[in-house]
Amino acid sequence: MKRLYLFSLLLLTFSACKRNAPAEPEPEFKPRETEDWLILTAPEEREVWGVFGNIDSTLLITTGYKIYYTQDRGNSWQESDYKPGSGVFGITSSADTLYALTAQRGYALNSIAYAVNPQFQSIDGGKTWTQSFSRRAYESIAVPRNQTKTANGLVYSIDQELTAVCTSCPNYYLETPGFKTPQGQKILLPQKHQLQSIYMDSQQRLYLSGSAAVCGGPGNISFCNGHRGVIYISKKPLP
């Protein structure tokens, strides 16, 4: 009887410990939501340079030297076989072919920055990439990185602000707190990031990609929590 009592006590203790055990940590890249945004996190500790596709089907991102895709709304990421060593500033399509754009043209404040040079192509939705030899593509493809247009021609752009590093020096820090509407209204994001690209999908939803959240001010900038870049996706179509 004493042995049975001891076994029952141990069983109850084990059950209590199991119930009170801490939950398994969520993946670092698990999507988050606010009232207006779905927020995805990059699968590696790099900023997101560009976005292409659709969150409801296949969404591709470039973290500079790698291309990833998700088909479950950012809950998991698959790495493509892209390994040429050339940085990818953006991704676009022509007919059934995707192109990785490996150069940038223009970067001055308040001017348009373009992703150009479609050096590599994919015909399977971004899973595998090969060298592109299409002269027509090389000559005609230039995709804006810091602004995007709606189907009816309205322009949304990344908001760029120069902030002085100190009152007595000529150095400035470029901040990108959010985006500007076609009417010039400035919309802030929930956190500050160094934004790299803005994109609109076929459902008129806005995508903004860039660095992890940054803290501090000019001259004292740091990442708040890790170095994984983010993608903001508007929950509703924009006019």
Side-chain angles (χ1 to χ4, degrees), residues 35-171:
E35 182 179 352
D36 300 315
W37 301 97
L38 173 64
I39 307 170
L40 309 186
T41 305
E44 64 168 321
E45 293 191 345
R46 292 185 62 90
E47 59 188 4
V48 179
W49 287 10
V51 176
F52 183 80
N54 191 305
I55 187 61
D56 293 328
S57 52
T58 300
L59 183 70
L60 294 99
I61 65 170
T62 166
T63 56
Y65 296 92
K66 294 183 179 179
I67 296 174
Y68 296 91
Y69 61 93
T70 179
Q71 296 177 314
D72 59 6
R73 298 178 64 85
N75 285 284
S76 64
W77 294 95
Q78 308 299 320
E79 184 180 349
S80 76
D81 77 339
Y82 182 86
K83 292 182 175 66
S86 299
V88 179
F89 289 88
I91 301 169
T92 192
S93 68
S94 178
D96 295 329
T97 303
L98 297 180
Y99 291 97
L101 308 173
T102 60
Q104 177 173 267
R105 184 179 72 218
Y107 196 70
L109 182 65
N110 295 322
S111 66
I112 303 176
Y114 292 92
V116 295
N117 193 34
Q119 190 175 358
F120 299 93
Q121 66 181 31
S122 172
I123 58 173
D124 60 3
K127 297 177 182 179
T128 60
W129 296 87
T130 57
Q131 185 83 31
S132 171
F133 297 100
S134 171
R135 180 175 295 277
R136 180 179 179 184
Y138 271 91
E139 294 173 347
S140 62
I141 292 180
V143 177
R145 300 188 67 230
N146 56 355
Q147 69 171 226
T148 187
K149 289 185 179 181
T150 64
N152 56 357
L154 298 178
V155 176
Y156 288 81
S157 59
I158 294 176
D159 185 19
Q160 298 176 316
E161 299 178 355
L162 281 180
T163 303
V165 173
C166 59
T167 56
S168 59
C169 60
N171 298 324

Side-chain angles (χ1 to χ4, degrees), residues 213-227:
V214 295
C215 298
N220 185 31
I221 299 297
S222 64
F223 291 107
C224 303
N225 185 23
H227 294 73

